[in-house]
């Protein structure tokens, strides 16, 4: 067998990301020294990004099953039953390291990769979402990163023609040297037209389709499995280059071929490219695989098997076809102006299992048993701190005394103008949210898209509060799942399942591993309590930067992508107050408290991140979600918004802005207007609703969950007139006996003040 020199030295082994112990395992697996092709293949398959070697042990503990789950983790994406022989297929993945190095292409190819994960399984993508984390706005590189990432997401998604309908964008100094770009795609397929990745049928042809292979993205998976040092710019060649127009052609060509009976198995070439796709197909099918590297379509001269196998060039797929279907399939891809090549075949297993055999120039350049590459890859149970030990390490400050506010309205305006809560309109306007014509809602608690040709709609939300997770990983993990559940309920959807993107630092540090383990424990408990299983996901570790902050890690960020179903989209709920020309009362539903720990108020008004995060009562969360859905189903509420960042006051402000209609708000009984905990506590499991029938609402819910009147919608519209800047958006009345008498009015905010505060951050920052 060709050894394909250069010599395998200790330096070469280290450059490929192996520890000495792992390289010894490679030698034992092969019974000999690997050549460069084999070393490269082991390198990417054993990378953290592909092997999940630090996380697999703990991921097995998560709940992944429910009667409506058709396919859980292990395939390209998760699959759930949405009725009428239809399935929803969805997944979220990270593209963090590439997006920091080259923000436009890193984010663009992140969108392209997650789209392929979904349409690989036979689904037409119907919606995109994202979860973005950036560092301090004043950081010298941050504006470049924000502009590049947003342009990359919009540039790719808009060109492919899939609407971006939901997302979140946060800023924190912990992401200064390592931003997070998590992309999610949701698709719809017929249940009898779902495709899987298991290669079967000895002798069946293996075909390569899509774009040609280049030298971009080589060792991308290895780069994504290490923290950043001073050589960030040198890693630029490991970032892939995307072509959304080719991706659109690939979607249509694959879906056309999927309408025939030609495909046995299909897998996209994502991280580790041709290596991971071929290994996963063979492993899942319990067979071997043989590839002729001379047949791989290449766009650059003189490419070696090492480069072909490790390239992460975009817009490529690998398929196993039924014998005799090659010509028909080739014609389809020729019509769509895409490459098509038969590059190998499915082979039988050996005594030691299936093998990956590669030939080039008539010689065997790789012969690896598949077991060590995948199922028998390293798996570590890394040490981690107990919850008490972590608490000692984290050194979260106690809350201390919080002074009364001198002006609740002024505090609210300052918060609404902060990077934490400012309008993300500058971002959302760069995404096409209406393409395909089925988008029903964006910018609310969840994005909503109609299932084309039906009365059903899918609701989509992305959620996580990283500062909660840092302060208490277990409660923070619970909260991330609970907030996704709450956001889906708020639009009238029945939550079905979640995907996740688990973004953490270096797992070889016990404190980071503690964040991971305890957050997963919280997520698992929340999923079980809410009957909200995890069907797909991604782990992104080593999100640290030695270049900035001396080895500082990101905040632990287990981003959750939730999906729910609305059986009749005409009953979908929105959050904006509505001027219905009749009186409406505003209520707070759910158990409230006076908890300011880890609140946005503390950070933005007092520049403090302190105390434990609010606790999530999962039983109360489940009941509150059920009650909210019943209220929406019976049309007893006209507006719904969950309470999250910023507490009740921010919830009210967002409802007023969304509906261009104000509200008269009284201090809750027993409280004082100046008490910040009344307005800015981020208590969990709570919703603010407006109703035209307060008596019926109280009769339905008061014996099940706490209900408290906050005030009334203030309909100031005149026929044909929008609110002016001088109209009142929110009136805060400090006297509970005054019945909103202007004599007792203690704080108010006009629409002009609210609009200006909310719009100012991105406008001013991008003009700076």
């Amino acid at each position: 067998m060709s050894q394909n020199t250069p010599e395998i030295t200790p330096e070469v082994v280290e450059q490929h990301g192996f520890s000495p112990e792992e390289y010894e395992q490679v030698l034992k697996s092969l019974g000999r020294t690997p050549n460069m092709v084999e070393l490269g293949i082991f390198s990417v398959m054993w990378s953290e990004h592909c092997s999940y070697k630090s996380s697999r042990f703990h991921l097995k503990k998560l709940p992944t099953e429910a009667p409506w789950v058709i396919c859980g983790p292990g395939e390209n994406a998760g699959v759930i039953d949405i009725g009428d022989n239809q399935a929803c297929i969805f997944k979220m993945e990270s593209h963090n390291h590439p997006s920091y190095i080259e923000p436009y292409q890193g984010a663009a190819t992140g969108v392209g990769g997650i789209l392929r994960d979904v349409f690989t399984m036979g689904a037409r993508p119907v919606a995109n979402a994202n979860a973005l984390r950036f560092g301090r706005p004043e950081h010298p590189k941050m504006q470049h990163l924000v502009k590049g990432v947003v342009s990359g997401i919009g540039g790719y998604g808009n060109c492919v023609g899939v609407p971006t309908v939901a997302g979140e964008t946060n800023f924190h100094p912990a992401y200064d040297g390592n931003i997070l770009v998590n992309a999610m795609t949701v698709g719809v397929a017929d249940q009898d037209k779902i495709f899987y990745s298991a290669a079967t049928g000895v002798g069946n042809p293996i075909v390569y389709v899509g774009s040609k292979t280049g030298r971009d993205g080589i060792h991308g998976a290895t780069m994504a499995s290490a923290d950043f040092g001073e050589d960030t710019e040198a890693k630029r060649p490991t970032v892939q280059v995307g072509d959304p127009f080719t991706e659109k052609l690939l979607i249509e060509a694959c879906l056309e071929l999927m309408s025939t009976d030609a495909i046995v198995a299909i897998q996209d070439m994502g991280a580790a490219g041709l290596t991971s796709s071929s290994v996963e197909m063979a492993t899942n099918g319990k067979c071997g695989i043989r590839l002729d590297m001379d047949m791989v379509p290449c766009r650059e001269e003189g490419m070696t098997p090492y480069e072909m196998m490790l390239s992460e060039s975009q817009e490529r797929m690998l398929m196993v076809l039924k014998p005799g279907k090659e010509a028909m399939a080739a014609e389809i891809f020729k019509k769509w102006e895409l490459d098509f090549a038969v590059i190998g075949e499915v082979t039988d297993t050996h005594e030691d299992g299936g093998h990956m055999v590669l030939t080039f120039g008539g010689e065997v350049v790789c012969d690896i048993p598949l077991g060590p590459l995948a199922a028998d890859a390293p798996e570590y149970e890394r040490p981690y701190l107990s919850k008490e030990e972590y608490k000692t390490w984290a050194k979260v400050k106690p809350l201390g005394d919080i002074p009364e506010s001198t002006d609740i309205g002024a505090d609210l305006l300052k918060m609404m103008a902060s990077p934490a809560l400012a309008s993300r309109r500058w971002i959302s306007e760069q995404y096409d949210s209406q393409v395909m014509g089925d988008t029903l809602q964006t910018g609310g608690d969840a994005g909503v898209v109609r299932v084309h040709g039906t009365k059903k709609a899918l609701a989509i939300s992305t959620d996580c509060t990283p500062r909660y997770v840092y302060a208490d990983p277990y409660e923070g993990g619970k909260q991330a799942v609970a907030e996704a559940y709450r956001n889906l309920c708020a639009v009238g959807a029945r939550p079905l399942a979640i995907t996740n993107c688990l973004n953490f630092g270096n797992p070889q540090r016990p404190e980071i591993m503690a964040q991971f383990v305890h957050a997963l424990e919280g997520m698992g408990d929340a999923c079980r309590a809410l009957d909200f299983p995890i069907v797909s996901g991604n782990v992104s570790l080593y999100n640290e930067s030695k270049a900035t902050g001396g080895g500082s890690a990101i905040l632990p960020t287990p981003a959750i992508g939730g999906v729910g179903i609305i059986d009749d989209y005409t009953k979908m709920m929105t959050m904006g107050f509505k001027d219905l020309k009749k009186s409406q009362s505003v209520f707070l539903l759910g158990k409230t408290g006076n908890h300011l720990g880890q609140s946005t108020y503390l950070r933005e008004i007092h520049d403090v991140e302190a105390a434990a995060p609010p606790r999530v009562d999962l039983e109360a969360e489940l009941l509150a979600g059920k009650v909210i859905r019943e209220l929406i189903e019976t049309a007893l509420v006209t507006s719904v918004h969950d309470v999250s960042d910023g507490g009740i006051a921010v919830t009210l402000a967002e409802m007023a802005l969304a509906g261009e209609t104000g509200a008269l708000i009284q201090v809750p009984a027993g409280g004082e207007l100046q008490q910040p905990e009344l307005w800015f506590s981020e208590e969990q499991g709570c919703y603010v609703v407006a109703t035209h029938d307060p008596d019926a609402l109280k009769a339905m819910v008061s014996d099940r969950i706490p209900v408290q009147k906050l005030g009334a919608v203030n309909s100031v519209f005149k026929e044909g007139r929008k609110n002016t800047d001088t109209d009142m958006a929110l009136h805060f009345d400090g006297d509970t006996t005054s019945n909103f008498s202007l004599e007792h009015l203690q704080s108010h905010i006009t629409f002009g003040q609210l609009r200006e505060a909310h719009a100012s951050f991105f406008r001013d920052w991008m003009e700076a």
Side-chain angles (χ1 to χ4, degrees):
M1 181 174 69
S2 169
Q3 293 303 298
N4 199 27
T5 53
E7 180 185 357
I8 307 299
T9 64
E11 292 74 22
V12 170
V13 170
E14 185 179 3
Q15 289 168 3
H16 281 74
F18 293 104
S19 67
E21 296 78 14
E22 287 174 344
Y23 185 60
E24 284 299 317
Q25 191 174 338
V26 171
L27 296 178
K28 184 178 178 181
S29 298
L30 286 176
R32 57 177 170 79
T33 301
N35 62 32
M36 278 296 292
V37 176
E38 293 166 333
L39 187 73
I41 288 172
F42 269 105
S43 169
V44 293
M45 289 306 299
W46 283 13
S47 69
E48 194 76 61
H49 193 72
C50 292
S51 73
Y52 290 25
K53 57 191 173 186
S54 297
S55 58
R56 289 205 315 268
F57 176 79
H58 300 284
L59 293 173
K60 297 170 187 174
K61 305 172 186 177
L62 294 172
T64 61
E65 297 180 348
W68 53 89
V69 174
I70 296 172
C71 178
E75 273 291 344
N76 287 288
V79 186
I80 55 175
D81 184 350
I82 58 171
D84 307 311
N85 192 42
Q86 291 182 308
C88 175
I89 300 178
F90 64 101
K91 190 181 183 183
M92 178 188 278
E93 279 204 344
S94 61
H95 231 220
N96 304 333
H97 288 58
S99 298
Y100 186 82
I101 297 168
E102 175 49 66
Y104 183 93
Q105 289 296 349
T109 53
V111 173
I114 197 65
L115 281 164
R116 286 194 299 280
D117 277 339
V118 168
F119 76 74
T120 293
M121 298 195 70
R124 178 170 291 281
V126 297
N128 286 334
N130 54 67
L132 312 177
R133 318 282 168 182
F134 297 105
R136 294 167 294 143
E138 62 269 24
H139 187 281
K141 193 173 181 178
M142 211 49 58
Q143 193 176 114
H144 163 71
L145 291 170
V146 171
K147 287 181 176 179
V149 166
V150 172
S151 296
I153 292 172
Y156 205 100
N158 296 353
C159 291
V160 171
V162 177
T164 299
V165 302
E168 56 176 351
T169 303
N170 297 133
F171 296 85
H172 192 280
Y175 304 102
D176 278 357
N178 200 127
I179 65 174
L180 301 184
V181 176
N182 296 170
M184 177 178 175
T185 292
V186 178
V188 174
D190 291 338
Q191 291 183 25
D192 54 2
K193 282 290 184 180
I194 296 172
F195 292 81
Y196 298 98
S197 62
T200 58
V202 174
N204 279 349
I206 296 170
V207 300
Y208 170 121
V209 301
S211 292
K212 288 180 168 61
T213 295
R215 290 188 170 96
D216 54 319
I218 293 175
H219 274 299
T222 308
M223 177 270 293
S225 304
D227 52 17
F228 282 139
E230 301 289 350
D231 59 343
T232 300
E233 288 302 312
K235 293 180 178 179
R236 192 176 297 275
T238 62
V239 178
Q240 312 91 325
V241 177
D243 180 353
F245 298 104
T246 299
E247 180 99 338
K248 175 62 174 173
L249 298 177
L250 188 60
I251 292 173
E252 299 304 329
C254 287
L255 292 177
E256 182 174 340
L257 185 59
M258 287 168 171
S259 68
T260 73
D261 65 346
I263 298 175
V264 174
I266 182 170
Q267 177 77 34
D268 81 291
M269 296 191 210
L274 188 51
T275 291
S276 63
S277 57
S278 55
V279 169
E280 289 168 10
M281 290 178 79
T283 301
N284 291 345
K286 297 180 174 59
C287 62
I289 193 166
R290 185 180 186 93
L291 302 179
D292 182 352
M293 305 309 293
D294 292 291
M295 301 304 295
V296 174
C298 294
R299 67 167 179 260
E300 300 183 44
E301 292 292 329
M303 288 192 68
T304 65
Y306 178 96
E307 293 171 323
M308 294 180 213
M309 292 302 292
L310 271 60
S311 167
E312 294 186 6
S313 294
Q314 296 292 285
E315 295 88 41
R316 302 179 302 159
M317 311 285 280
L318 200 63
M319 299 180 184
V320 176
L321 299 184
K322 293 179 180 178
K325 300 292 185 179
E326 299 94 325
M328 180 265 290
E331 281 300 313
I332 290 175
F333 283 90
K334 180 180 178 181
K335 181 183 77 172
W336 290 101
E337 299 180 346
L338 296 168
D339 276 281
F340 177 96
V342 178
I343 66 168
E345 65 178 2
V346 178
T347 60
D348 206 346
T349 57
H350 297 206
E351 290 182 4
D352 56 348
H355 277 228
M356 167 183 273
V357 178
L358 309 179
T359 62
F360 184 65
E363 293 187 336
V364 174
V365 295
C366 169
D367 187 347
I368 303 177
L370 287 160
L373 286 178
D376 301 328
E379 178 176 304
Y380 300 125
E381 295 180 44
R382 298 197 186 276
Y384 59 91
L385 304 181
S386 69
K387 291 176 182 175
E388 285 304 311
E389 290 169 335
Y390 177 81
K391 186 176 180 181
T392 301
W393 173 85
K395 296 184 177 66
V396 177
K397 300 174 186 176
L399 185 60
D401 294 329
I402 302 299
E404 285 191 347
S405 171
T406 57
D407 189 336
I408 289 294
D411 287 346
L412 175 57
L413 288 173
K414 183 177 179 180
M415 290 171 64
M416 294 296 286
S418 71
L421 296 170
S423 169
R424 269 59 173 155
R425 188 171 181 177
W426 176 85
I427 295 175
S428 62
E429 284 182 341
Q430 297 187 54
Y431 305 150
D432 189 339
S433 64
Q434 301 302 315
V435 66
M436 300 180 74
D438 283 319
T439 302
L440 301 176
Q441 181 177 169
T442 64
D445 286 304
V448 182
V449 291
R450 178 172 43 213
V451 178
H452 195 76
T454 76
K455 295 287 285 184
K456 297 178 296 189
L458 295 170
I460 302 150
S461 179
T462 58
D463 298 285
C464 184
T465 311
R467 65 184 184 276
Y468 289 2
V469 189
Y470 179 86
D472 186 331
Y474 175 75
E475 285 296 333
K478 282 168 60 179
Q479 191 272 343
V481 173
E483 185 170 356
Y485 184 90
R486 206 156 51 237
N487 282 331
L488 298 175
C489 291
V491 298
R494 184 172 72 256
L496 292 177
I498 66 174
T499 183
N500 60 53
C501 218
L502 306 176
N503 308 273
F504 291 82
N506 186 338
Q508 297 177 58
R509 294 168 54 190
E511 63 273 18
I512 300 298
M513 203 63 204
Q515 294 173 347
F516 183 84
V517 172
H518 301 316
L520 257 65
E521 182 185 353
M523 288 168 53
D525 284 351
C527 289
R528 279 181 282 269
L530 301 174
D531 211 4
F532 201 27
I534 297 171
V535 298
S536 60
N538 168 244
V539 178
S540 175
L541 301 177
Y542 294 96
N543 288 290
E544 304 199 7
S545 174
K546 292 174 183 168
T548 58
S552 58
I554 63 163
L555 294 180
T557 312
I560 301 297
V563 173
I565 187 77
I566 301 174
D567 295 321
D568 180 354
Y569 65 76
T570 64
K571 295 183 178 181
M572 176 191 75
M573 183 52 56
T574 57
M575 71 179 187
F577 288 135
K578 298 168 181 66
D579 182 22
L580 300 179
K581 306 294 186 279
K582 59 183 177 181
S583 63
Q584 297 167 77
S585 297
V586 179
F587 285 93
L588 174 69
L589 303 184
K591 185 178 180 181
T592 59
N594 297 323
H595 194 101
L596 284 177
Q598 296 301 323
S599 65
T600 306
Y601 172 82
L602 273 188
R603 179 181 168 187
E604 298 303 330
I605 303 301
H606 297 286
D607 196 25
V608 170
E609 291 185 10
R615 182 177 173 273
V616 179
D617 182 334
L618 293 171
E619 185 176 343
E621 192 79 59
L622 182 67
L623 181 56
K626 182 180 180 182
V627 167
I628 285 292
R629 295 197 304 273
E630 288 176 4
L631 289 171
I632 294 171
E633 178 69 24
T634 54
L636 271 178
V637 286
T638 56
S639 309
V640 175
H641 191 18
D642 80 306
V643 177
S644 57
D645 279 358
I648 296 170
V650 170
T651 302
L652 291 164
E654 290 174 342
M655 295 175 84
L657 279 171
E660 289 285 321
T661 302
L664 301 157
I665 303 300
Q666 284 181 305
V667 174
E672 297 291 336
L673 182 68
Q674 291 81 13
Q675 287 180 271
E677 57 266 40
L678 291 178
W679 305 107
F680 303 119
S681 167
E682 296 174 8
E683 215 62 43
Q684 300 297 293
C686 295
Y687 301 79
V688 172
V689 305
T691 178
H692 54 80
D693 193 342
D695 292 337
L697 182 142
K698 287 188 286 187
M700 177 180 285
V701 308
S702 59
D703 62 341
R704 295 194 285 171
I705 63 173
V707 54
Q708 183 174 202
K709 186 172 182 179
L710 293 178
V713 174
N714 181 28
S715 297
V716 297
F717 285 178
K718 293 180 180 177
E719 201 66 37
R721 179 178 78 83
K722 289 286 188 181
N723 273 304
T724 69
D725 284 352
T726 58
D727 286 322
M728 297 291 186
L730 292 172
H731 306 245
F732 291 98
D733 192 327
D735 188 337
T736 56
T737 66
S738 69
N739 196 24
F740 303 111
S741 166
L742 292 179
E743 296 175 8
H744 298 94
L745 190 66
Q746 296 191 16
S747 185
H748 66 263
I749 299 172
T750 68
F751 272 102
Q753 292 173 312
L754 196 53
R755 290 184 186 117
E756 170 60 22
H758 204 219
S760 60
F761 167 68
F762 273 104
R763 181 196 63 206
D764 296 345
W765 189 45
M766 289 304 169
E767 290 178 356

